[in-house]
Structure formats: structure tokens, C-alpha cells
Amino acid sequence: MNVTAPRPPGPRPAASVARAVLAWAGVALLPVVVLFAPTVGTSGNGVGFADLWIPVRYLVPALVVLLPVGLLRRRPLLALGLMLTGSLLVTATTHSGQDGYLSDIWYLQFLMIDAVAGAIAASRPRRVSVPTAVVVLAVQVAAGFLSLAFDPLNRAVFSLLAVTAAWVVGDSIQARRRHAEALRTHAAAEAVTAERLRIARELHDMVAHSIGVIAIQAGVGARVIDTQPAQARAALVTIETTSRETLAGLRRTLGALRRPQGESASLAPTPGLADLDRLVAATADAGVTVRLQRRGGSAALPAEVDLAAYRIVQEALTNVVRHAGAADCRVTVERRADELDVEVLDDGPGGPVGDDGHGIVGMRERVALLGGRFEAGPRPEGGFRVAARLPLPGVDR
């Protein structure tokens, strides 16, 4: 297992240092602006340049709100607290009559603060965002009563609506973000489960068939090794060939499992219906005569359909060899215009489908994933029948 060593702490990048310096410089400048506000609020002549009275008058409250903005990314609550404190102090020290300072920009100043409260609601849990919204509302209502330009009750109602709207929008954004994250987590878990089941089916189908053939061939070899050495030698050759193929398949599967997360776990090369003749021969070596019938066209099939059809035949023949006690079976593969039919019949005693094995379950899962139909059970006339109908994608049905 590869473990990446943590990177040793090093000097902070120059850009990060510059951003931090600018952010805290703005905070340090905030008290100066607040102290300067009463001078601007009296009149333009109070600062000695009447011609610039209106620009400076708007600049002061803008600076009070904007100077702490540099802290929003890392310390949003501190930034919001500084904005609220500065706005409240400016309002308290500069309010006057109907033409007083902040009478026309009070709303704009606190709307910007409401937007910050909404941003906090979008990025922080409710146990933080709800008290934050309450504090913002309380400060705005207090600032409305300190400013005598308009009816403070109207401003209180406006503040209530604005803060509520900002919080609702921010909380909705966070709820959608949480929902999207839950969907991604669920989709990832489903993908992992589907991949695990796919590999489990491949392992079962590959190993179960191979072990069944090996067990039967080993039994045959042990019984005839003294009387029929040629047949015993053939059984050992079959065991060797089957073992090598199974080992190669296991190596591919283990290699797929060891791939880093996020990479496709390919189990190629995968078998298909073109390998049925070899499968039939291996089953015949295990003592079961297989009659293979192919019908329909011979055009290439989609890879997933080709693999599923092969695995269904393989698992059905494995069950015949291991459980049916049959000496003969028939495999029919028929390609139609819009589907592929696979059927395996044996002449054994038959019997109900068991609940403990994974073979029938795996075959049914393969067919279900392709949107087909699957049947497995004893035949009325004796024996057992496995049938699958696999739709061919890209064909109008």
C-alpha cells in the first residue's frame, strides 16, 4: 500500500501573504474611517473641500462596509462583525434631521451587510447562520432608530424583510449543495456496489466452473490411473489447462481490484459466445455430452450481451456437471432481429431452485442489468431448463 508522506511546512506563497496583509490593513484602517465620519457628516465645509462633499459623503459608508471584505473568505463572522460595528457607529455619530447624513444611503449600506449574512447562511450550519441573522437584524433595527431621517418603524420592517430574504436564499443554496453532495455520495456508493457485484459474478462464474471441471477430472484420473493411464493423462492435461486459465483470470481480476479509485477496473480480455466450443469440450471432458445449436446471424454482438450470454451458458453447464447428474444436455443460442435467446436443457432428475447458491442469482442479475428476461426451473417432462432472453441495444423494439 502506497502512503504519501505529508509535505513539510514551508513558507507561504507571496500572493497569500499579500492578501493577508491587505485584509488586515483594511481592518486597521476601519477605525480611522469611523472617526472621520462625523466630520464628513456635518457639511462639506467641515472637511475644507465643499466641491467634493457628495463623493466623500458616499465614500465613508462604502469604506466602512468594504474594508473588512478581505476577511470574508477565511473569517466571515469577524468580517460581518466589523461591518456591523462600523455601520452602527457611523450611523450613531452622523445622524441628524431630514437632510442628515446616511438618510439616502442607509438602505444600500445595510443591504450589502444583508448579502454577507446570506453568504454566511449559504456556507455555515444553521446553528451559526440563524444567530448571525438575528444579530444583523437587531443591529439594523437599532441603526434605524438612531437615524432620525425616516420613520424607524418603516426601516425596522424593511430590515426584517431584507434579512429574512437573505437568510432564506443563503439557506436554500446550502440545502441544494447538501442535496447535491448526498446525491453524489449515493451515486458513488451505488457505483462501488455495482462494481463489487460485477467482480463477484465474474469470480463466481469463472472459479465455480473451473473448480467443478478440475474436481471431476481429478476424480476420473484417480479412478483410472492404474487401469487406463491414457485417460488419466488426458484428465491431468485438462486439469492443467483449466487451472492455468483460471489463474490468468484471477490475476486479471486482482489487478482490476488494485487499480486506484476512479480508474476503470477492466477485466478484459473477457470471453464470449465464440468460446462456446471450448466450453463444450471442457464439459464433455467432465463426462457430460453437450449438443450445441447456433441459429440466426453471426454478426458481432455488443460486448456486454456477448459476455452475459457466455456466462449464463457456463454457469448452467457448471450446474449440470456438479448437481444435475445428467449425461446429456442441449445448448441453444438463437439470434433474432432484436434479441438473443439462450437456452440450456438437461435430462437429469431436475429439482427446485435452491436459495443458497449464487449461480442462479448471478445469472438473473446479469439478465436484469441488460433489461432481459430470465427463467430457471425443472421441466415437467424431467430435467432442468435455464432460459434467458437478452435485448440487443440499438434496435427498435
Side-chain angles (χ1 to χ4, degrees):
M1 183 168 119
N2 296 329
V3 178
T4 303
R7 297 175 59 184
R12 298 174 63 185
S16 178
V17 174
R19 285 194 297 268
V21 170
L22 289 176
W24 288 108
V27 172
L29 188 60
L30 183 62
V32 178
V33 175
V34 172
L35 293 175
F36 183 66
T39 306
V40 179
T42 56
S43 68
N45 297 327
V47 295
F49 34 84
D51 294 337
L52 298 179
W53 180 79
I54 293 179
V56 174
R57 181 183 183 215
Y58 280 87
L59 181 63
V60 170
L63 288 176
V64 169
V65 176
L66 295 178
L67 284 176
V69 166
L71 298 178
L72 279 177
R73 182 176 180 182
R74 296 186 177 273
R75 301 187 180 184
L77 294 178
L78 176 59
L80 180 62
L82 292 173
M83 292 177 183
L84 285 173
T85 302
S87 299
L88 184 61
L89 291 175
V90 168
T91 303
T93 56
T94 60
H95 72 280
S96 58
Q98 184 68 25
D99 297 328
Y101 183 49
L102 289 179
S103 61
D104 53 352
I105 57 175
W106 183 91
Y107 293 101
L108 180 60
Q109 184 181 35
F110 280 102
L111 281 176
M112 296 175 66
I113 294 177
D114 294 341
V116 175
I120 292 177
S123 59
R124 293 294 188 273
R126 289 182 177 177
R127 67 177 183 273
V128 175
S129 65
V130 172
T132 300
V134 172
V135 171
V136 170
L137 177 60
V139 172
Q140 289 192 33
V141 171
F145 278 93
L146 290 175
S147 179
L148 303 180
F150 295 102
D151 184 1
L153 292 179
N154 290 336
R155 293 196 175 186
V157 173
F158 176 83
S159 298
L160 176 62
L161 296 176
V163 172
T164 301
W167 184 88
V168 169
V169 171
D171 187 70
S172 300
I173 292 174
Q174 187 182 77
R176 292 183 60 183
R177 187 183 298 120
R178 287 197 302 266
H179 180 65
E181 181 63 26
L183 290 179
R184 286 193 295 269
T185 302
H186 181 68
E190 284 191 337
V192 170
T193 300
E195 185 70 4
R196 178 175 58 82
L197 291 176
R198 181 176 76 95
I199 294 176
R201 285 193 298 268
E202 289 297 315
L203 282 173
H204 174 271
D205 293 347
M206 175 177 57
V207 174
H209 175 77
S210 301
I211 295 301
V213 171
I214 290 172
I216 292 176
Q217 292 296 328
V220 171
R223 287 193 298 269
V224 301
I225 190 170
D226 294 327
T227 59
Q228 302 179 30
Q231 187 175 352
R233 188 178 299 108
L236 291 175
V237 170
T238 301
I239 291 174
E240 179 185 10
T241 302
T242 305
S243 300
R244 291 183 184 277
E245 293 176 351
T246 304
L247 181 60
L250 287 174
R251 285 174 176 170
R252 288 196 302 270
T253 303
L254 293 176
L257 290 174
R258 289 193 179 102
R259 289 180 182 271
Q261 187 176 4
E263 291 189 13
S264 176
S266 175
L267 300 178
T270 55
L273 293 179
D275 302 301
L276 282 184
D277 292 332
R278 182 167 53 86
L279 181 61
V280 167
T283 306
D285 291 339
V288 178
T289 302
V290 180
R291 290 175 293 165
L292 175 62
Q293 297 180 351
R294 300 177 186 264
R295 300 172 184 168
S298 58
L301 293 169
E304 63 274 12
V305 175
D306 198 21
L307 174 62
Y310 176 86
R311 291 303 190 195
I312 290 170
V313 175
Q314 183 187 47
E315 180 59 28
L317 292 181
T318 299
N319 291 338
V320 171
V321 171
R322 297 176 61 187
H323 306 299
D328 182 78
C329 73
R330 183 173 73 250
V331 176
T332 304
V333 178
E334 182 176 2
R335 176 166 182 168
R336 302 179 186 273
D338 56 355
E339 63 189 11
L340 181 71
D341 292 343
V342 178
E343 184 181 59
V344 180
L345 306 174
D346 67 66
D347 58 359
V353 178
D355 296 330
D356 297 332
H358 299 284
I360 298 294
V361 174
M363 288 189 284
R364 183 174 286 110
E365 287 178 351
R366 288 183 183 277
V367 176
L369 287 174
L370 296 175
R373 289 180 290 173
F374 177 79
E375 298 177 2
R379 297 190 293 163
E381 63 273 23
F384 200 86
R385 174 176 179 264
V386 173
R389 180 163 293 178
L390 305 176
L392 299 179
V395 177
D396 295 333
R397 305 188 65 185

